């Protein structure tokens, strides 16, 4: 190595050192540790005990673990929130892109996104209260008997999803709007000259041109969906009868309430594997429907 | 003919505005109801039909909520943690981004790819092992787990700034190199002043995600005097489980500062989120 190269290397590692140390300590090391930990039984007090894959066997097959239920609830949450958010955000963005007062509407839509999850969970607990909540009161004035949103096990995931859709749709609308605004106007002008109508323009120009944004929003909302926790912790505490227990709630429960570090790590590894698989599969199939302008 | 087309356009526009107004109302409604409830007396809370503007307004709910728990202290804690995270990240991320964009050193591609790959690892995976690590080095019940890892590692921050530096014209720093400037001089004198917009974007993201972070403080903090705003607020539910007026007053108190920041920097916040597309 020449003196000049050595100097460049010293500068380079000097500049990146803080982040590199952070990466090793707070990302790489814990990720590897989580893999190893998922093969141990440990309550943080006694000595860790090697158990191989039995943590995974336990969470999947024992019948005692809440993992299958938490997985089911989380998937349900994703099925409710992701398509609805994607669809509504795209529709809102297209409408916003075609009317005046864009800034004002967008600012209002975005309002829920910035607010703190705990305060907003309180507010929704109150709105959705089955006996005194304003939503059921309004329904009653229309002659409809409102359901027990948060205490009916069959409904609780849907109720939490409704709140999450309200919470996140403005954020995704904003991203879609940015995508729409980057479409060059000449495409629409040319289509108008060729006699295309609004519907044709939407399906032949808007939708393909906005597909990279759609792809991004899809992946982001899926990953966010797997991580749902705050609103469940406040609104239902996982209940009634564990009907709103999510994967992250279960990790929290195992790790920090029951001190079963091996089980918690095993659940987190399964979650990691699912997210990784979905993301990679999405990337693999993305070239079939995502259009990148060259 | 022309006028009928214009009329049709007008009707469409009106219809679209109607939809947007309805959605806007549903976005604001929970906030209005929160404020309305926070100003009621307990017996007004359950009135049917519901009232929007209580008489008289119970301003003392706010005083009671503020005094019921140490809000002022939690504000200071949250502010301190958020500021440390923001300033620390701006420094370390911009340095790492500069190295990745402008310095030729060994292993830089591998480091960059490794950083990017971590963005796919959910924070819940690292949560358990880092908790154990902090327990062993005595960081539990301190603010260190809420600051140090944030300051020292943000793949998103490094990536964001690196992309921005790469769009800057090369001539600027090449000329400086010919003049004999070293990397420290180029970084502080040439690059930093040019990347202020992206630094502002990162500052906003970091501030918001630190301020709203709940799971972290929930796991790491035990002593009430160390609580952050979201964690303190969460304690409220157990204590005032049925007093909706106090709960709503406390929620309003917790939301107002972020709301003010948002209304002041609204355009900038939204645009930076639209541009980068990533929240945390």
């Amino acid at each position: 190595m020449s003196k000049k190269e050595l100097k460049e290397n010293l500068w380079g590692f000097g500049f990146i050192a803080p982040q590199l140390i952070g990466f090793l300590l707070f990302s790489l090391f814990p990720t590897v540790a989580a893999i190893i930990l998922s093969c141990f039984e440990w309550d943080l007090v006694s000595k860790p005990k090697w158990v191989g894959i039995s943590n995974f066997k336990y969470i999947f097959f024992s019948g005692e673990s809440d993992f299958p239920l938490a997985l089911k609830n989380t998937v349900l949450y994703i099925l409710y929130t992701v398509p609805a958010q994607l669809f509504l955000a795209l529709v809102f963005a297209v409408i916003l892109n075609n009317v005046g007062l864009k800034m004002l509407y967008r600012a209002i839509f975005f309002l829920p996104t910035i607010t703190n999850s705990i305060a907003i969970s309180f507010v929704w607990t109150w709105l959705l209260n089955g006996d005194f909540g304003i939503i059921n009161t309004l329904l009653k004035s229309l002659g409809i008997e409102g359901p027990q949103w948060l205490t009916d096990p069959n409904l609780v995931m849907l109720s939490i999803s409704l709140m999450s859709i309200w919470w996140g749709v403005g954020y995704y609308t904003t991203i879609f709007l940015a995508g729409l605004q980057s479409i060059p106007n000449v495409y629409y002008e040319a289509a108008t000259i060729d006699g295309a109508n609004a519907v044709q323009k939407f399906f032949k120009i808007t939708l393909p041109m906005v597909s990279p944004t759609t792809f991004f929003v899809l992946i982001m909302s899926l990953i966010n969906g797997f991580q749902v926790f705050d609103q469940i912790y406040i609104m239902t505490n996982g209940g009634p009868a564990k009907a709103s227990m999510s994967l992250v709630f279960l990790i929290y429960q195992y790790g920090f309430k029951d001190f079963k570090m091996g089980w918690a790590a095993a659940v987190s590894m399964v979650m990691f594997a699912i997210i990784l698989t979905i993301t990679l599969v999405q990337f693999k199939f993305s070239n079939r429907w995502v259009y990148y302008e060259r | 003919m022309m006028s009928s087309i214009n009329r049709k356009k007008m009707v469409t526009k009106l219809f679209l505005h109607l939809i947007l107004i309805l959605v806007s109302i549903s976005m604001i409604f929970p906030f209005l109801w929160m404020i309305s409830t926070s100003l009621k007396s307990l017996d007004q809370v359950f009135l049917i039909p519901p009232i929007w503007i209580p008489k008289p307004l119970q301003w003392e709910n706010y005083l009671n909520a503020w005094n019921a728990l140490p809000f002022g202290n939690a504000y200071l804690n949250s502010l301190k943690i958020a500021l440390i995270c923001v300033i620390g990240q701006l420094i370390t991320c911009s340095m790492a981004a500069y190295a990745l964009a402008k310095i030729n050193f060994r292993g830089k591609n591998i480091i960059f790819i490794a950083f990017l790959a971590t963005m796919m690892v959910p924070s819940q995976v690292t949560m358990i092992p880092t908790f154990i690590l902090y327990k062993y080095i005595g960081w539990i019940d301190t603010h260190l787990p809420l600051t140090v890892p944030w300051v020292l590692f943000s793949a998103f921050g490094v990536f964001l700034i690196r992309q921005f530096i790469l769009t800057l014209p090369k001539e600027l720093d090449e000329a400086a190199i010919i003049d004999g400037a070293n990397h420290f001089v180029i970084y502080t004198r040439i690059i930093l002043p040019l990347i202020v917009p992206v630094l502002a974007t990162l500052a906003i993201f970091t501030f918001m995600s630190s301020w709203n972070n709940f799971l972290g403080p929930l796991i790491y903090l035990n002593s009430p005097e160390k609580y952050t705003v979201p964690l303190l607020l969460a304690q409220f539910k157990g204590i005032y489980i049925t007093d909706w007026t106090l709960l709503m007053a406390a929620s309003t108190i917790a939301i107002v500062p972020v709301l003010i920041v948002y209304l002041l920097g609204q355009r900038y916040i939204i645009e930076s989120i639209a541009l980068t597309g990533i929240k945390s």
Side-chain angles (χ1 to χ4, degrees):
Chain A
M1 205 187 292
S2 74
K3 208 177 155 199
K4 189 171 172 284
E5 276 173 336
L6 183 72
K7 230 175 151 184
E8 282 288 284
N9 273 313
L10 283 176
W11 276 114
F13 279 103
F15 267 80
I16 211 166
Q19 286 280 321
L20 192 61
I21 292 167
F23 163 75
L24 295 173
L25 272 180
F26 303 115
S27 183
L28 187 65
F29 161 73
T31 306
V32 175
I35 301 172
I36 299 168
L37 199 59
S38 66
C39 301
F40 277 88
E41 203 179 284
W42 196 16
D43 57 6
L44 290 181
V45 182
S46 47
K47 242 183 128 192
K49 188 178 138 205
W50 170 266
V51 292
I53 58 162
S54 59
N55 284 331
F56 292 94
K57 273 195 202 149
Y58 173 80
I59 62 167
F60 271 105
F61 305 117
S62 71
E64 287 167 23
S65 167
D66 290 327
F67 171 78
L69 183 66
L71 183 63
K72 192 198 98 185
N73 290 339
T74 309
V75 169
L76 206 59
Y77 174 83
I78 287 170
L79 287 177
Y80 288 141
T81 53
V82 172
Q85 263 174 349
L86 209 65
F87 175 76
L88 290 175
L90 183 58
V91 170
F92 293 163
V94 169
I95 296 177
L96 277 177
N97 205 24
N98 283 300
V99 299
L101 296 172
K102 213 172 286 182
M103 296 298 205
L104 178 67
Y105 286 127
R106 199 174 60 165
I108 295 172
F109 282 29
F110 200 75
L111 204 59
T113 304
I114 58 136
T115 49
N116 147 341
S117 59
I118 306 309
I120 229 55
S121 299
F122 280 162
V123 175
W124 274 84
T125 313
W126 175 222
L127 292 175
L128 291 170
N129 184 299
D131 303 318
F132 309 108
I134 183 79
I135 292 180
N136 277 3
T137 310
L138 290 177
L139 286 176
K140 204 172 212 167
S141 68
L142 299 171
I144 304 166
E145 190 62 40
Q148 293 291 328
W149 297 98
L150 294 173
T151 49
D152 180 343
N154 295 316
L155 215 67
V156 64
M157 258 357 254
L158 181 69
S159 309
I160 291 172
S161 304
L162 280 177
M163 179 245 191
S164 301
I165 292 166
W166 171 84
W167 201 358
V169 75
Y171 169 63
Y172 295 122
T173 303
T174 306
I175 297 176
F176 268 125
L177 195 59
L180 288 175
Q181 283 170 345
S182 68
I183 303 175
N185 222 352
V186 288
Y187 293 145
Y188 293 106
E189 284 159 10
T192 311
I193 293 168
D194 290 343
N197 62 31
V199 177
Q200 285 169 324
K201 280 184 209 166
F202 177 78
F203 282 103
K204 299 283 180 194
I205 300 171
T206 311
L207 219 46
M209 292 297 286
V210 87
S211 60
T213 313
T214 313
F215 179 59
F216 174 79
V217 170
L218 182 65
I219 291 200
M220 287 301 297
S221 56
L222 274 167
I223 294 179
N224 284 337
F226 272 103
Q227 306 190 357
V228 58
F229 176 79
D230 296 8
Q231 56 267 61
I232 291 177
Y233 181 89
I234 293 296
M235 292 168 76
T236 62
N237 204 24
K242 296 177 182 171
S244 63
M245 161 99 56
S246 72
L247 285 175
V248 177
F249 197 93
L250 188 64
I251 296 173
Y252 172 76
Q253 177 79 38
Y254 278 163
F256 306 104
K257 292 277 155 203
D258 308 341
F259 297 104
K260 303 280 191 189
M261 293 300 164
W263 291 352
V267 176
S268 77
M269 286 319 298
V270 176
M271 194 174 107
F272 184 25
I274 295 173
I275 290 178
L276 200 64
T277 311
I278 290 179
T279 312
L280 293 179
V281 169
Q282 294 271 9
F283 269 102
K284 181 127 179 76
F285 284 99
S286 67
N287 57 3
R288 295 208 186 153
W289 63 277
V290 178
Y291 171 81
Y292 291 101
E293 207 182 1
R294 267 175 266 273
Chain B
M1 179 70 190
M2 201 58 210
S3 76
S4 96
I5 289 177
N6 274 338
R7 190 174 301 157
K8 209 177 145 192
K9 262 194 176 160
M10 273 280 287
V11 172
T12 318
K13 283 249 147 121
L14 273 176
F15 178 68
L16 293 182
H17 274 291
L18 193 71
I19 295 176
L20 292 178
I21 289 167
L22 282 176
V23 178
S24 297
I25 290 172
S26 71
M27 291 292 167
I28 299 176
F29 181 87
F31 295 106
L32 294 180
W33 191 243
M34 169 184 80
I35 294 166
S36 167
T37 309
S38 73
L39 292 169
K40 287 176 184 170
S41 64
L42 256 183
D43 49 318
Q44 286 171 319
V45 166
F46 303 110
L47 280 185
I48 291 173
I51 48 165
W52 276 94
I53 300 167
K55 257 184 235 164
L57 296 171
Q58 306 280 327
W59 291 106
E60 61 267 32
N61 287 344
Y62 281 87
L63 202 65
N64 292 340
W66 182 270
N67 288 332
L69 289 174
F71 260 111
N73 187 48
Y75 266 115
L76 285 180
N77 287 339
S78 280
L79 201 65
K80 180 192 97 183
I81 292 169
L83 285 180
I84 292 174
C85 290
V86 168
I87 294 167
Q89 256 191 37
L90 291 186
I91 296 170
T92 63
C93 289
S94 65
M95 281 170 58
Y98 176 84
L100 289 171
K102 294 286 179 192
I103 307 177
N104 284 314
F105 63 99
R106 267 198 201 174
K108 108 172 176 179
N109 286 333
I110 296 170
I111 292 175
F112 182 59
I113 291 168
F115 274 31
L116 280 188
T118 61
M119 291 213 256
M120 274 216 268
V121 184
S123 58
Q124 289 82 15
V125 171
T126 52
M127 186 165 89
I128 302 282
T130 42
F131 177 82
I132 296 169
L133 173 74
Y134 300 149
K135 200 172 150 60
Y136 272 85
I137 56 179
W139 281 15
I140 299 300
D141 205 25
T142 72
H143 289 154
L144 292 171
L146 303 171
T147 48
V148 176
W150 287 60
V151 168
L152 285 187
F153 188 57
S154 166
F156 166 67
V158 174
F159 179 66
L160 185 74
I161 301 176
R162 175 191 175 264
Q163 297 309 97
F164 195 85
I165 293 178
L166 288 179
T167 64
L168 301 174
K170 271 201 173 89
E171 290 76 15
L172 291 168
D173 47 291
E174 276 171 1
I177 290 179
I178 292 167
D179 289 346
N182 66 29
H183 283 299
F184 183 75
V185 173
I186 299 171
Y187 165 73
T188 48
R189 299 280 168 79
I190 300 174
I191 301 296
L192 274 188
L194 288 172
I195 60 172
V196 168
V198 76
L199 291 181
T201 304
L202 182 64
I204 289 171
F205 281 130
T206 310
F207 188 88
M208 277 175 34
S209 36
S210 166
W211 188 272
N212 289 333
N213 183 12
F214 174 63
L215 192 50
L218 178 69
I219 296 168
Y220 302 127
L221 301 180
N222 307 318
S223 317
E225 70 270 15
K226 289 181 182 133
Y227 281 5
T228 59
V229 173
L231 191 58
L232 188 78
L233 194 60
Q235 304 306 308
F236 232 86
K237 196 180 179 184
I239 306 170
Y240 295 99
I241 197 141
T242 48
D243 192 339
W244 290 103
T245 63
L246 281 194
L247 261 177
M248 292 303 108
S251 299
T252 312
I253 291 173
I255 284 178
V256 163
V258 205
L259 222 58
I260 292 171
V261 172
Y262 175 63
L263 291 177
L264 293 177
Q266 179 257 113
R267 217 177 132 171
Y268 197 69
I269 294 172
I270 291 181
E271 242 137 56
S272 57
I273 283 170
L275 274 178
T276 50
I278 299 175
K279 188 160 57 171
S280 51

